[in-house]
Amino acid sequence: MSQAAHTSAVPARPLAVTRLGFGALLAGLALVLLLSITLAVMIGPVPLAPGLVWRVALHQVVPGLITPDWATFQQNIIWEIRFPRVLLGGLVGGGLAVVGATMQALVRNPLADPYLLGVSSGRVARGGGGDPARLQCVWHLLARDGGFSRRTARLRRGLRPGPAGRPAHHRATHLSGVAVSYVFSALTNFLIYNADDGEEVKSVIFWMLGSLGGARWDYLGLPALALLFGTLYLTVQARSLNALSVGEETAATLGVDTSQFRRQTFALTALLTGVLVAVSGGIGFVGLMLPHILRLLVGADHRRLLPVAALAGAIFLIWVDVLARVVVAPQELPIGIITALLGARFSSG
Amino acid sequence: MKVEVANLSWGVAEAQIVREVSLDCPPGSFVGLIGPNGSGKSSLLRCVYRVLQPDAGTIHLDNDEVWGLSARQAAQRIGVVLQEHSGEFDFSVREMVFMGRAPHKALFERDTAVDLQIVEAALRTVNMLDFADRSFLTLSGGEKQRVLVARALAQQTRFLVLDEPTNHLDIRYQLEVLDLVRGLGVTTIAALHDLNLAALYADRLYVLKEGALVASGPPEEVLTPALIERVYGVARRGRTPPAHRAAAYRLSAGVAPGASSNSVRSMPMAEPPLMNRYARHIFICTGRYCDPEGRAPMLYARLAQWLGDLGRYENPCRVKRGTSPCLGVCHGGPLVVVYPEGIWYHHVDEALLKRIVDVHLGEQQPIAAHIFHRLDEESEGTST
């Protein structure tokens, strides 16, 4: 048969499909990430030299290697303020992109995002009222006083096998997520409405929009661990994610235990999202649009998409946070405002 | 692989969808499942490929009960071609077929050169290797279907389940896909809508109605007009479409039948170069249904003359005269079936051809009746 006629309309294949090309892409992204971290630490009200940034970092990691020749305030700015913030931005950005890509595959909808399961609204409702101990809220999310357990109960209802042994449908999960979101946004609105003073309102809204403003070193551990293991786990499971993103039944015929896999992966993504939201609030767009854009670059195969999403998400959010800091300096914009604007720009253009 | 389904039942709360169905597929057999829409074919197959857990009954692959296997083990034994090819994610054709290797891979195992070979061989088999880097979503329905067949091939199973595998395919690929599957020699269960295809390819047919088995056996025994009427609720239609009848007259008068017709299935028989390229078997189907006016001998003589002129015609074998089929063979292409109302070409092997002839020789003529049925439908859409 003549296939020449068909091949004329071949669209350009994504870059980096070959193993070599993909390795180069990952290395390149890692390099850009490193560069971004350096630049993001340098940029701010007090300008700093790149050499200084890494010397301070080295000094902190391996004390005694370098004799400090910088002022204490410089060290404080670099190590106590900017580094945690930039790294947190990287972790949150990478995490949201990975979770977003996973969530889109799980519900087979390219418009899904990490907050689909209602985790962020829950966090905002809990975090509102100016609770300063954010990490503690992660544990609230996990188990402590019912917030998470109620949520998981809701999720479990969505994931449990349907009547007559029919596999649970992801729509049920999606719908429970949406329902949970509504419940918690009602709660959040109630908090705002009922707030005693302007500060409290501001605090709630701050969480709704998301910010990396309060980053501290001790906030980084859990998100870093969660992101590392989450991304590893998901990348290892990428074949199943691929199959599931093509179709529920297809995945089953390709040897994926779909209900169990979906249950596990939803739980993992909910946990990851919970951790991320607890440290940064609900930052939009990253988890929704970034996986979408990256698929154009590396294709839909999650073995490539997920590592690239982790790196690109980190780079992206680091730079967005730089913008958030400098646009109206010395004031700071909630980062969610910028991501939302970028998202709107991308979607419409 | 031997596949045995015994007393299988499945239903949802308010309705019994599959009722105590038993199927028996000997190793290497091609079993066709037919029945009207909603008769439970797909549900039955879903139970077989371990997506729905049956309420009662067993499914054995050789000695393994399907539900005793894990999803992964089942996927190493059963290849499935579904109708669904949804999804909005943009995988390349090669990536789609690579998914067929997933059941054979451990968690941390990478794709190897062997996997790549298997994938490319599967793509070559369905004639889609040139499309390997194309985006799956940009393919036509037929191309997608062939890629899905390739994915099932890449699973390298000894058992294939096909749920309407020829949907979206034109006649050529319907026949090619089924030829291909038959040629693999693996045990196959296929749900088929097209009774002609079911008759041509299945060793054994099972007929479902309202979830229960109503008939089973070799196609020529099962596909009787009475059964079709009982199961599908349609009477056989033997009307000869006027356009084709005109073509037949022209053919018998030595006028090029395809000259003025651009209908797909009516191959321009009267153009010797095309004939030369495609024809291997010439088969004039006659008898009560095909040739009510007894024109077969004239057609046959006409064909013999054309083919003789081409120097490609050998071993003319007139199977029977008069009201029975006539047959001539020439080499180099698909089967050409000449009906009084038009010409249809099939890509089939000689065994298949023989079966068609046998069916007609025995004066059991369901195939002809169905082909007529089909011609009727198509001519309503295409002829003017």
Side-chain angles (χ1 to χ4, degrees):
Chain A
M1 77 180 258
S2 84
Q3 294 182 339
H6 297 275
T7 43
S8 58
V10 177
R13 272 314 290 165
L15 290 168
V17 178
T18 63
R19 200 164 279 179
L20 193 69
F22 178 61
L25 179 70
L26 277 191
L29 281 174
L31 203 70
V32 174
L33 178 60
L34 206 66
L35 208 68
S36 303
I37 292 174
T38 316
L39 285 170
V41 172
M42 285 161 56
I43 296 172
V46 180
L48 299 161
L52 183 63
V53 169
W54 287 110
R55 273 186 295 140
V56 169
L58 197 63
H59 176 69
Q60 292 290 337
V61 178
V62 195
L65 203 66
I66 309 171
T67 342
D69 56 350
W70 51 78
T72 320
F73 84 91
Q74 282 176 320
Q75 174 169 334
N76 281 343
I77 288 174
I78 290 175
W79 194 247
E80 300 302 330
I81 298 176
R82 292 202 192 155
F83 249 114
R85 179 169 184 149
V86 169
L87 292 182
L88 184 68
L91 289 174
V92 171
L96 287 176
V98 167
V99 173
T102 308
M103 201 66 96
Q104 291 169 2
L106 280 182
V107 301
R108 259 191 298 135
N109 181 352
L111 294 179
D113 79 357
Y115 309 128
L116 187 72
L117 299 179
V119 174
S120 97
S121 318
R123 174 63 189 84
V124 171
R126 282 218 46 79
D131 183 352
R134 294 176 203 174
L135 272 188
Q136 210 184 340
C137 291
V138 176
W139 299 110
H140 286 188
L141 279 170
L142 289 179
R144 188 71 71 75
D145 59 353
F148 192 78
S149 54
R150 233 178 294 135
R151 221 167 5 255
T152 44
R154 190 64 80 96
L155 280 180
R156 234 177 279 132
R157 218 167 303 150
L159 291 167
R160 156 186 91 184
R166 282 174 176 282
H169 206 279
H170 61 79
R171 255 178 233 131
T173 315
H174 190 152
L175 282 180
S176 359
V178 171
V180 171
S181 284
Y182 274 115
V183 169
F184 281 108
S185 56
L187 214 65
T188 309
N189 288 337
F190 176 76
L191 281 177
I192 297 175
Y193 179 75
N194 220 23
D196 295 332
D197 53 48
E199 271 311 300
E200 204 165 316
V201 172
K202 211 168 171 185
S203 159
V204 173
I205 289 180
F206 179 83
W207 276 112
M208 286 166 65
L209 295 171
S211 167
L212 303 167
R216 292 197 333 229
W217 277 107
D218 52 355
Y219 293 169
L220 296 184
L222 194 55
L225 273 179
L227 177 62
L228 185 69
F229 287 110
T231 310
L232 273 181
Y233 173 83
L234 292 171
T235 310
V236 165
Q237 299 285 354
R239 280 197 187 93
S240 303
L241 276 178
N242 286 348
L244 207 57
S245 69
V246 172
E248 177 93 24
E249 201 148 322
T250 300
T253 65
L254 291 174
V256 180
D257 186 339
T258 48
S259 59
Q260 191 200 344
F261 177 71
R262 174 168 282 137
R263 204 161 43 230
Q264 284 172 356
T265 315
F266 265 135
L268 179 86
T269 50
L271 207 69
L272 253 173
T273 313
V275 170
L276 298 173
V277 170
V279 290
S280 67
I283 298 176
F285 171 70
V286 187
L288 173 67
M289 292 313 265
L290 214 57
H292 214 57
I293 297 168
L294 292 175
R295 275 196 196 92
L296 300 177
L297 183 68
V298 296
D301 188 338
H302 290 84
R303 281 176 290 180
R304 290 196 298 270
L305 181 62
L306 292 176
V308 169
L311 289 171
I315 296 168
F316 174 79
L317 207 62
I318 285 174
W319 283 108
V320 173
D321 185 48
V322 169
L323 264 184
R325 281 186 282 147
V326 301
V327 170
V328 290
Q331 276 220 318
E332 180 187 315
L333 276 180
I335 194 167
I337 290 182
I338 299 183
T339 54
L341 282 177
L342 286 173
R345 177 73 197 86
F346 177 83
S347 319
S348 60
Chain B
M1 183 177 281
K2 188 171 105 176
V3 180
E4 266 181 340
V5 176
N7 300 318
L8 188 107
S9 294
W10 181 83
V12 288
E14 62 279 12
Q16 189 73 1
I17 309 291
V18 180
R19 301 160 200 264
E20 304 216 341
V21 173
S22 298
L23 307 176
D24 189 10
C25 318
S29 62
F30 191 115
V31 168
L33 203 56
I34 60 175
N37 293 338
S39 59
K41 300 188 296 287
S42 289
S43 300
L44 173 59
L45 291 183
R46 279 188 180 141
C47 290
V48 170
Y49 59 70
R50 201 188 171 281
V51 164
L52 295 179
Q53 184 151 20
D55 300 331
T58 57
I59 304 139
H60 279 96
L61 312 177
D62 285 337
N63 296 319
D64 299 318
E65 155 65 18
V66 163
W67 280 93
L69 301 170
S70 72
R72 205 171 108 94
Q73 287 169 325
Q76 290 167 357
R77 290 167 171 76
I78 313 172
V80 184
V81 178
L82 299 171
Q83 305 174 48
E84 105 179 12
H85 38 241
S86 57
E88 303 183 42
F89 296 99
D90 195 17
F91 289 97
S92 73
V93 167
R94 187 183 283 111
E95 285 165 346
M96 280 303 266
V97 179
F98 251 113
M99 288 182 195
R101 300 303 302 153
H104 300 279
K105 308 302 279 183
L107 270 191
F108 290 94
E109 204 177 338
R110 305 183 71 169
D111 297 328
T112 62
V114 177
D115 293 319
L116 184 66
Q117 272 172 17
I118 292 169
V119 166
E120 296 202 331
L123 278 171
R124 201 173 298 121
T125 310
V126 298
N127 208 1
M128 289 294 289
L129 189 57
D130 292 350
F131 290 62
D133 288 320
R134 274 276 293 273
S135 150
F136 181 75
L137 297 181
T138 65
L139 300 181
S140 73
E143 289 162 348
K144 283 181 179 166
Q145 197 67 12
R146 279 148 66 204
V147 171
L148 297 185
V149 171
R151 189 173 69 198
L153 297 182
Q155 270 177 271
Q156 294 198 314
T157 57
R158 301 300 301 158
F159 175 38
L160 280 178
V161 177
L162 314 174
D163 193 354
E164 307 289 355
T166 54
N167 273 8
H168 307 294
L169 298 181
D170 63 33
I171 178 80
R172 171 184 165 164
Y173 283 114
Q174 289 184 8
L175 298 164
E176 281 202 6
V177 163
L178 291 176
D179 275 346
L180 169 77
V181 171
R182 262 203 81 100
L184 295 172
V186 303
T187 314
T188 306
I189 301 184
L192 294 165
H193 261 312
D194 189 316
L195 300 179
N196 296 309
L197 293 177
L200 282 174
Y201 285 93
D203 298 314
R204 202 176 163 78
L205 284 179
Y206 287 86
V207 187
L208 281 182
K209 187 186 184 187
E210 287 162 11
L213 214 53
V214 291
S216 68
E220 50 271 31
E221 285 173 21
V222 170
L223 284 178
T224 60
L227 180 110
I228 304 293
E229 188 161 352
R230 182 153 64 91
V231 173
Y232 288 89
V234 288
R236 190 193 63 240
R237 293 194 290 165
R239 179 171 63 86
T240 306
H244 298 117
R245 194 183 294 146
Y249 281 125
R250 267 179 288 145
L251 179 66
S252 62
V255 180
S260 61
S261 163
N262 50 7
S263 154
V264 180
R265 68 189 170 283
S266 130
M267 207 182 77
M269 272 287 291
E271 291 171 25
L274 259 180
M275 199 68 226
N276 199 18
R277 227 182 305 151
Y278 290 119
R280 182 168 65 193
H281 310 290
I282 306 298
F283 170 42
I284 303 176
C285 164
T286 65
R288 263 177 304 150
Y289 297 106
C290 300
D291 188 18
E293 292 159 43
R295 290 177 181 277
M298 217 190 317
L299 289 172
Y300 180 79
R302 194 74 216 155
L303 270 172
Q305 189 191 330
W306 284 333
L307 297 169
D309 290 348
L310 288 167
R312 310 263 310 166
Y313 182 56
E314 47 184 68
N315 187 24
C317 102
R318 201 171 290 201
V319 179
K320 257 192 194 179
R321 282 179 172 277
T323 56
S324 293
C326 304
L327 177 74
V329 179
C330 94
H331 293 288
L335 166 71
V336 178
V337 182
V338 183
Y339 304 105
E341 68 289 294
I343 296 154
W344 202 327
Y345 67 105
H346 300 255
H347 182 81
V348 285
D349 56 20
E350 306 219 7
L352 215 49
L353 178 70
K354 184 167 179 304
R355 190 142 97 219
I356 300 173
V357 176
D358 288 346
V359 169
H360 287 273
L361 280 179
E363 290 297 317
Q364 297 164 337
Q365 307 192 335
I367 298 173
H370 298 316
I371 291 174
F372 253 36
H373 189 151
R374 198 184 165 86
L375 284 172
D376 277 356
E377 285 173 354
E378 291 197 357
S379 68
E380 278 159 24
T382 55
S383 64
T384 49

